[in-house]
């Protein structure tokens, strides 16, 4: 049986890896839509009757959320699953989930860096515009432009600087970052298939 199988395998043309995972793209698009709507709704509800200080709290929350998820995506892409095999063998909580994250690094990175990261960036920009509108009520044109530039610069600096610092931490401590994420995922009411 084995000898007869060998010629068939040699005659088969080599399969090229698929550049675009159409199934994953079709899955991630509706997920992105739902997450964007939910997070935008939450931020709008929080900001409807919020003053300037609470608006800044919401702004910093979404900037921090984007930085944290960016770290998770980088950690998943840079970690190796070998680090978690012994933990999984000893039934350490979250080890199986960490293995799943490393095996599905492309998907984890896409969700964390692209979906959540981009949504947080959009909401941060919208929150910044609301803060500018609150601060500049009754000011003249030049003052409005200056405040707008300062708030935009603050958002950009915090987001870019935070992600730059977070990337270094995520690469240096990728196994610890994924171990924490694995523990969090292990208590959620769904299970990840670590074999895929």
């Amino acid at each position: 049986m084995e000898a007869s199988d060998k010629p068939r395998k040699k005659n088969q043309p080599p399969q090229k890896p698929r550049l675009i995972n159409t199934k994953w793209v079709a899955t991630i698009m509706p997920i992105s839509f739902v997450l964007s709507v939910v997070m935008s709704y939450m931020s709008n509800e929080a900001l409807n009757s919020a003053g300037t200080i609470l608006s800044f709290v919401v702004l910093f929350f979404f900037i921090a959320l984007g930085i944290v998820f960016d770290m998770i995506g980088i950690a998943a892409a840079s970690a190796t699953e070998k680090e978690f095999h012994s933990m999984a063998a000893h039934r350490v909580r979250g080890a199986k989930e960490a293995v799943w994250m490393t095996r599905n690094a492309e998907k984890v990175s896409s969700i964390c860096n692209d979906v959540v990261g981009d949504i947080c960036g959009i909401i941060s920009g919208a929150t910044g515009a609301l803060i500018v509108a609150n601060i500049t009520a009754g000011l003249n044109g030049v003052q409005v432009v200056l405040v707008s530039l300062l708030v935009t610069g603050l958002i950009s600096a915090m987001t870019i600087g935070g992600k730059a610092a977070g990337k270094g931490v995520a690469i240096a401590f990728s196994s610890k970052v994924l171990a924490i994420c694995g523990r969090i995922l292990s208590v959620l009411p769904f299970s990840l298939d670590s074999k895929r």
Side-chain angles (χ1 to χ4, degrees), residues 70-81:
D70 189 71
M71 289 175 64
I72 295 169
I74 295 295
S78 59
T80 57
E81 63 180 85

Side-chain angles (χ1 to χ4, degrees), residues 113-175:
N113 298 94
D114 300 330
V115 178
V116 178
D118 290 350
I119 291 170
C120 286
I122 292 166
I123 294 175
S124 297
T127 306
L130 185 65
I131 290 170
V132 170
N134 288 341
I135 294 174
T136 58
L139 299 180
N140 61 37
V142 176
Q143 293 171 325
V144 170
V145 171
L146 287 174
V147 172
S148 178
L149 290 174
L150 285 172
V151 172
T152 303
L154 175 68
I155 294 170
S156 299
M158 290 185 67
T159 303
I160 295 168
K163 287 186 177 182
K167 278 179 172 62
V169 173
I171 292 170
F173 302 101
S174 57
S175 58

Side-chain angles (χ1 to χ4, degrees), residues 72 93-94 97 177-189:
I72 295 169
R93 180 180 287 275
E97 287 77 9
V177 171
L178 290 190
I180 294 169
C181 293
R183 287 193 192 99
I184 294 170
L185 289 172
S186 68
V187 301
L188 295 179

